[in-house]
Structure formats: structure tokens, C-alpha cells
């Protein structure tokens, strides 16, 4: 069977027009991280059968696959057609064709979310403190609260001394429970830059009265400064009660409104679900343990902070619709506010709708990938080389200029 192709120029036009399109890199993650188009998502050939059904939920969406001369395209198209994907085609010339068309290539993984984080800091001048200044505050026992915006497992591996696990979407909901005194300075950290920038700006956008800073360069910056990290910590931010929860709900909804997020009832969601001409992603953005205790059928779990950080993984079809739900509201509202700024058509299901008939247990997504072909992030674990960590930071600093050269992103910052 002949391989049907689409030109890089036509893919770019679809991206600019915000038409639905999934640009899929068939290589292993380590090769993908060396360079790819901004909105490419990575599904290695060996994982198509396991991942395509949930990551590409509409079988007649435009799916474009490519490799770098690795002979992966023909077998991938065979698999996709066998799975029912009727509009799966090859990128003419593969990665080299994209390059020869004069288009930008981005390194690393989750590149466009990380580039967006840099754009947020560039536009909003998100305040930050370098690692030695934060260490000095710790040493003098200053009135500070350090909130770690990563997943809990990342926090437990290694963390800033005294830090409390508060994954990104939980920040607006839980920050005041950790730091009820407005005179307490709040410092938000992640492993590198993106989640601390987005987390800090979330609290600022929501109008918290505290002084709020990102830890500049996260645990990477901490390590490069020669400062010690804690390991194995289990501290978690408590859930708010009473007026604090109501305050978080009000503030988060105001931020979502400013970003242009739409709201849905269950009846209106049914209307979107019935529209077979559009791809629809549905995510419950709470912590995994909350999701597994009871969730609306049809919604997968993606912690809100990770959904914003790894949007290419959770929503490879650029131009699709995304609906978020959260039993309290602030986690979905804040996550949706960032997705809207990332250029998505995003909705929040009214929190009261989440009290209907619930399903129990995990979402049934395929098991995480084994280590074959995986890209080793310079911010993971405790054994990273300083040169690799510094190179990663230098790459992040250059992303705003690269976004400008690429010209397809459509991001905005409120």
C-alpha cells in the first residue's frame, strides 16, 4: 500500500488555523528529545497499540506521523489503519523535511509547556529568589512556607529542606492552609523552572495577600549552589476548611473567567460528547488518591499541574476540546486558566456535577513505559551531572526567543 503524505507547510497551516491535528513522532523518547516540531507528541512505534486509543480518541482526526529516516512510518501507518484511524498520513520528508522547510526544532520533552512557562515569566516578571537567598531565610528561621509544586513521588525523592508537597493544581486551594498569616512569605519550587513559575504566578493571579516567590531554577539551582536536599520526606499540604475553601473557590473562578474558560453542566457536556466531529479530552485534575476514591465515568485522571506541564502527552491532538472536573472547583479552574492561555478550547464542568454516580479505582490507562529508549531528565533523581543541569537551564532560558522564531504557538498571558 502506498504511503499518503502531507507537506510540512500544510501541517503548519493547520496549526495556525487551530484545526485538529496530531503530529506524532514515532521515535523513542531519547531521540525525540534531540529535536522535534513544537507541537509534536511522542508515541514510539512499539507503543501505538497501547497508547493510540486513549491519546487519540477520535478515529477520524488528522494524524500525521514521522521519523528521522528510521523506517518507522510504514509499519506505524499499518497499525493505525488496523486500529481504525482513517486519516493517518506521513509527514513528507520526515523530520528532515520539516527542517528543510525552514521550521524550528525544539529539544527536550514537554517543550511547548516549558516554553510557555518561560513566556509567562518574561511577560509577567514572575518574582523569584536564588537558592542562596532561600537558604539564608531557612537559616535565620524566617517566616516562610516552601511549597513543592511537583508530583508527590518527585517530592519524596528529594526536596528543599522544610518543603511541603503541594502539587501544582493544589496550590491555590491549599496555600492558605499552609500559610494562613498574610505576613508569611511563600516560596514555590519544582525541579527546574516551569512548575515553580506557573505555581507562583497562579498564587499571584489568584490574589493571595502573601509575598510570593519562585525558587529560581528549582532543585537544580539548589544543587548547583552546593546546598543539601532532603530525601524521603512525607509532608503534605492540608486541605483547607470553611472560609479558606470558599475563598480559594472564588479566587480560582475569577482567574478562569479572566482567561476565557467556559463552564458546563452535565447536560451541556453530553452535547459535547455527542459531537463526533471534534476530539474531546476529559480529565479529573485531582490527586490520584482522590480520583480513585470516586470519579465521574468517562474522565481520566491527570493532576492539574502535570496536565499543564505535559499537555503534549495528555492531549496530542492540537485543536481539540478539553473538559476538566474537580469536586471543589479551584484545581480545575486554575488548570483550565493555563490551558486556555496555551491556546486550548477548555471547559470546566460545574463542581456540583461531580457528585453524581461515581466510578471507583484508577483510570485504566496503560502501564507507564519501562526504561527502554527513555530520555533521562537532568532534573530527575539525585545523581545528575552539574554540566547537564546547567545546560538544561540554559536551554530553558532560550525558549522565548525560539517561540518567536517558530511563530505557531498562539499563546497569551493574562
Amino acid at each position: 500500500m502506498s504511503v499518503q503524505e502531507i507537506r510540512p507547510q500544510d501541517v503548519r497551516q493547520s496549526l495556525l488555523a487551530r484545526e485538529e491535528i496530531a503530529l506524532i513522532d514515532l521515535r523513542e523518547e531519547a531521540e525525540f528529545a534531540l529535536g522535534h516540531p513544537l507541537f509534536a507528541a511522542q508515541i514510539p512505534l512499539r507503543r501505538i497499540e497501547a497508547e493510540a486509543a486513549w491519546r487519540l480518541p477520535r478515529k477520524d482526526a488528522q494524524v500525521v506521523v514521522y521519523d528521522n529516516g528510521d523506517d518507522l512510518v510504514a509499519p506505524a501507518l499499518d497499525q493505525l489503519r488496523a486500529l481504525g484511524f482513517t486519516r493517518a498520513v506521513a509527514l513528507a520528508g520526515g523530520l528532515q523535511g520539516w527542517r528543510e522547510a525552514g521550521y524550528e526544532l525544539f529539544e527536550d520533552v514537554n517543550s511547548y509547556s516549558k516554553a510557555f512557562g518561560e513566556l509567562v515569566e518574561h511577560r509577567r516578571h514572575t518574582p523569584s529568589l536564588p537558592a542562596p537567598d532561600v537558604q539564608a531565610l531557612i537559616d535565620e528561621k524566617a517566616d516562610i512556607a516552601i511549597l513543592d509544586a511537583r508530583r508527590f513521588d518527585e517530592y519524596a525523592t528529594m526536596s528543599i529542606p522544610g518543603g511541603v508537597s503541594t502539587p501544582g493544581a493544589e496550590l491555590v486551594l491549599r496555600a492558605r492552609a499552609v500559610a494562613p498569616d498574610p505576613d508569611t512569605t511563600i516560596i514555590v519550587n519544582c525541579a527546574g523552572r516551569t512548575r515553580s513559575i506557573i505555581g507562583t504566578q497562579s498564587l499571584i493571579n489568584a490574589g493571595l495577600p502573601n509575598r510570593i516567590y519562585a525558587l529560581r531554577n528549582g532543585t537544580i539551582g539548589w544543587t548547583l549552589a552546593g546546598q543539601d536536599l532532603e530525601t524521603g520526606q512525607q509532608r503534605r499540604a492540608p486541605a483547607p476548611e470553611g472560609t479558606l475553601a470558599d475563598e480559594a473557590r472564588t479566587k480560582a473562578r475569577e482567574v478562569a473567567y479572566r482567561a476565557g474558560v467556559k463552564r458546563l453542566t452535565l447536560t451541556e457536556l453530553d452535547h459535547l460528547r455527542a459531537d463526533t466531529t471534534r476530539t474531546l479530552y476529559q480529565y479529573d485534575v485531582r490527586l490520584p488518591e482522590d480520583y480513585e476514591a470516586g470519579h465521574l465515568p468517562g474522565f481520566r485522571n491527570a493532576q492539574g499541574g502535570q496536565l499543564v506541564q505535559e499537555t503534549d502527552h495528555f492531549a496530542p491532538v492540537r485543536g481539540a476540546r478539553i473538559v476538566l472536573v474537580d469536586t471543589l472547583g479551584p484545581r480545575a479552574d486554575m488548570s483550565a486558566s493555563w490551558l486556555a492561555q496555551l491556546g486550548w478550547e477548555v471547559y470546566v464542568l460545574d463542581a456540583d456535577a461531580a457528585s453524581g454516580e461515581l466510578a471507583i479505582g484508577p483510570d485504566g490507562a496503560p502501564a507507564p513505559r519501562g526504561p527502554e529508549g527513555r530520555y533521562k531528565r537532568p532534573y530527575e533523581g539525585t545523581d545528575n551531572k552539574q554540566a547537564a543541569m546547567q545546560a538544561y537551564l540554559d536551554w530553558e532560558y532560550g525558549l522565548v526567543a525560539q517561540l518567536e522564531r517558530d511563530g505557531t504557538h498562539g499563546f497569551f498571558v493574562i
Side-chain angles (χ1 to χ4, degrees):
M1 181 183 295
S2 61
V3 173
Q4 185 177 353
E5 295 184 330
I6 184 173
R7 301 183 310 157
Q9 294 87 342
D10 295 323
V11 172
R12 181 180 173 86
Q13 288 173 7
S14 290
L15 291 169
L16 288 169
R18 300 202 177 186
E19 298 169 352
E20 287 198 10
I21 188 168
L23 182 57
I24 304 299
D25 192 310
L26 299 169
R27 299 172 296 165
E28 295 294 336
E29 190 180 66
E31 285 75 39
F32 172 78
L34 296 176
H36 52 81
L38 179 63
F39 288 113
Q42 187 256 345
I43 304 179
L45 176 63
R46 62 186 174 82
R47 294 285 298 180
I48 286 177
E49 188 171 353
E51 297 189 24
W54 74 271
R55 294 182 67 190
L56 308 169
R58 186 166 70 90
K59 296 294 181 67
D60 55 353
Q62 176 75 81
V63 178
V64 180
V65 299
Y66 72 89
D67 61 15
N68 193 25
D70 311 290
D71 297 324
L72 306 175
V73 169
L77 289 175
D78 287 342
Q79 287 192 46
L80 288 168
R81 287 168 184 150
L83 291 169
F85 289 91
T86 58
R87 298 178 62 206
V89 298
L91 178 66
L95 189 66
Q96 184 62 26
W98 187 267
R99 184 185 292 111
E100 290 175 353
Y103 301 150
E104 202 76 11
L105 293 180
F106 288 75
E107 296 179 1
D108 209 79
V109 293
N110 313 130
S111 306
Y112 80 76
S113 293
K114 293 174 180 177
F116 173 70
E118 296 300 315
L119 184 66
V120 170
E121 185 190 55
H122 179 74
R123 293 278 175 85
R124 292 299 307 273
H125 307 290
T126 306
S128 64
L129 291 175
D133 289 10
V134 176
Q135 183 68 69
L137 292 173
I138 294 172
D139 292 343
E140 67 188 45
K141 295 182 170 52
D143 184 9
I144 61 172
I146 300 173
L147 306 183
D148 192 312
R150 299 171 296 164
R151 301 188 315 266
F152 180 75
D153 62 295
E154 294 180 87
Y155 162 81
T157 298
M158 44 84 171
S159 58
I160 305 301
V164 177
S165 176
T166 320
E170 306 287 327
L171 283 164
V172 170
L173 178 64
R174 298 174 187 262
R176 292 295 306 282
V178 178
D181 186 342
D183 290 330
T184 300
T185 296
I186 294 175
I187 298 166
V188 180
N189 83 274
C190 68
R193 293 176 53 79
T194 309
R195 286 174 287 183
S196 59
I197 292 169
I198 296 298
T200 299
Q201 198 61 53
S202 291
L203 296 176
I204 293 171
N205 287 353
L208 265 70
N210 308 68
R211 292 183 298 278
I212 306 165
Y213 300 93
L215 171 61
R216 193 176 304 160
N217 303 329
T219 58
I220 288 181
W222 196 268
T223 302
L224 290 174
Q227 299 169 188
D228 293 332
L229 293 163
E230 293 183 331
T231 59
Q233 295 303 311
Q234 300 293 307
R235 295 181 290 264
R236 296 177 185 254
E241 297 180 353
T243 58
L244 288 182
D246 294 337
E247 176 186 285
R249 185 178 297 113
T250 298
K251 289 180 178 296
R253 181 167 290 201
E254 289 173 352
V255 175
Y257 178 76
R258 286 166 49 204
V261 174
K262 306 176 184 71
R263 312 199 72 79
L264 287 173
T265 64
L266 271 177
T267 300
E268 291 161 340
L269 174 59
D270 287 339
H271 178 74
L272 291 190
R273 284 173 166 172
D275 184 358
T276 59
T277 68
R278 296 291 304 277
T279 298
L280 182 65
Y281 293 105
Q282 302 169 83
Y283 284 113
D284 184 319
V285 296
R286 297 174 297 160
L287 297 172
E289 57 266 31
D290 295 333
Y291 173 87
E292 292 176 17
H295 57 269
L296 282 179
F299 280 83
R300 291 187 175 275
N301 186 218
Q303 296 179 61
Q306 294 306 118
L307 178 58
V308 174
Q309 170 85 354
E310 303 174 11
T311 317
D312 60 319
H313 176 76
F314 290 106
V317 182
R318 186 68 176 167
R321 291 166 169 161
I322 301 178
V323 177
L324 306 184
V325 70
D326 162 22
T327 52
L328 294 176
R331 294 165 287 204
D333 279 319
M334 293 307 301
S335 302
S337 76
W338 291 116
L339 291 175
Q341 293 171 76
L342 278 161
W344 290 93
E345 181 182 338
V346 60
Y347 303 80
V348 169
L349 184 65
D350 284 337
D352 291 342
S355 59
E357 184 177 346
L358 302 179
I360 307 298
D363 65 11
R369 302 175 185 179
E372 180 184 343
R374 189 174 185 275
Y375 164 63
K376 176 65 165 64
R377 281 77 165 157
Y379 47 82
E380 286 184 323
T382 57
D383 60 346
N384 296 297
K385 296 180 179 178
Q386 291 200 356
M389 291 190 286
Q390 186 60 59
Y392 177 81
L393 295 177
D394 294 340
W395 167 77
E396 287 195 303
Y397 293 141
L399 282 171
V400 172
Q402 199 173 7
L403 276 183
E404 185 174 355
R405 293 194 300 271
D406 178 79
T408 63
H409 64 81
F411 303 155
F412 69 96
V413 180
I414 61 173

